[in-house]
Amino acid sequence: MSIRTFLIIAITALFIAQWPAAQYWLAWDRSAILDGEVWRILTGNLTHTNWPHMIMNTLALAIITFIYRLHYSARPYSLLILALSAVVGTGIIATDIQWYAGLSGVLHGLFAWGAVRDTQTKQKGGWLLMLGLVGKIASEQYFGGSASSEALIGARVAIEAHLLGAIAGVACALIPTVLKKRSNINQLFS
């Protein structure tokens, strides 16, 4: 599967998940998850509060995918999105959030993953992108979400999801490096 095909499938899924009948069954809902509807841990990342929210996140997905296209192919990228969705969806359970809809946690994870990959491959601007992301998340954790974003999406910005996604993205980028170094050390002493 090509990245173009991946984007078409992802954007189609985001549009389908936005319809009210689908959103009712897909949104991240704490009480529904605790009652056994565990698919919402993943699918809550597909739903959005309104059409502007969905369009904003869809454009962000396309931009991030374009920016970091040198670092992946479609299958590993799909697995990365799935892993980030699982971490964000599961991690939100540890917060006070009762209902969540949006891809922003995953998007922060993709951006963090790409910035780390840029630094690992010595791409220009990788450290600057990571510094910008750290500054954004630190600002959100201290001051809260953007008032203009909250007005656009009609809900509180889930800054907890942004933090969870960014941490997971960094971890996903570093795990292969750590495992490779560990393997090299093991081979050295074998």
Side-chain angles (χ1 to χ4, degrees):
M1 172 179 6
S2 71
I3 291 301
R4 183 173 295 152
T5 303
F6 164 81
L7 276 176
I8 291 169
I9 292 169
I11 291 168
T12 302
L14 290 170
F15 272 91
I16 291 169
Q18 185 58 28
W19 294 106
Q23 189 178 49
Y24 176 80
W25 290 102
L26 300 177
W28 193 99
D29 182 317
R30 177 181 300 279
S31 61
I33 291 168
L34 295 176
D35 285 341
E37 296 180 14
V38 294
W39 65 84
R40 292 172 181 271
I41 289 171
L42 295 177
T43 61
N45 295 285
L46 297 175
T47 62
H48 291 84
T49 57
N50 56 30
W51 286 101
H53 185 206
M54 192 273 304
I55 291 167
M56 177 178 64
N57 279 347
T58 301
L59 290 173
L61 176 63
I63 291 166
I64 292 168
T65 301
F66 177 78
I67 290 171
Y68 297 125
R69 69 191 178 282
L70 301 174
H71 299 305
Y72 57 79
S73 60
R75 181 170 288 141
Y77 195 58
S78 299
L79 292 174
L80 175 62
I81 290 172
L82 184 63
L84 293 171
S85 295
V87 170
V88 170
T90 303
I92 292 174
I93 292 171
T95 72
D96 293 335
I97 295 174
Q98 298 300 310
W99 189 88
Y100 171 77
L103 191 62
S104 60
V106 172
L107 293 171
H108 281 73
L110 291 173
F111 193 88
W113 177 86
V116 170
R117 292 293 298 135
D118 270 359
T119 62
Q120 291 171 330
T121 58
K122 305 199 184 328
Q123 299 292 317
K124 290 183 180 177
W127 284 107
L128 187 59
L129 291 171
M130 182 56 76
L131 184 61
L133 180 62
V134 168
K136 178 190 184 291
I137 290 177
S139 173
E140 286 180 340
Q141 297 303 307
Y142 187 76
F143 296 110
S146 160
S148 60
S149 291
E150 289 181 356
L152 179 69
I153 68 173
R156 183 182 81 78
V157 173
I159 60 172
E160 302 88 345
H162 297 178
L163 177 62
L164 288 163
I167 291 169
V170 169
C172 286
L174 293 177
I175 287 171
T177 304
V178 170
L179 292 176
K180 184 177 179 184
K181 286 183 181 180
R182 186 174 178 185
S183 174
N184 290 343
I185 290 171
N186 288 341
Q187 288 176 359
L188 193 67
F189 293 106
S190 297

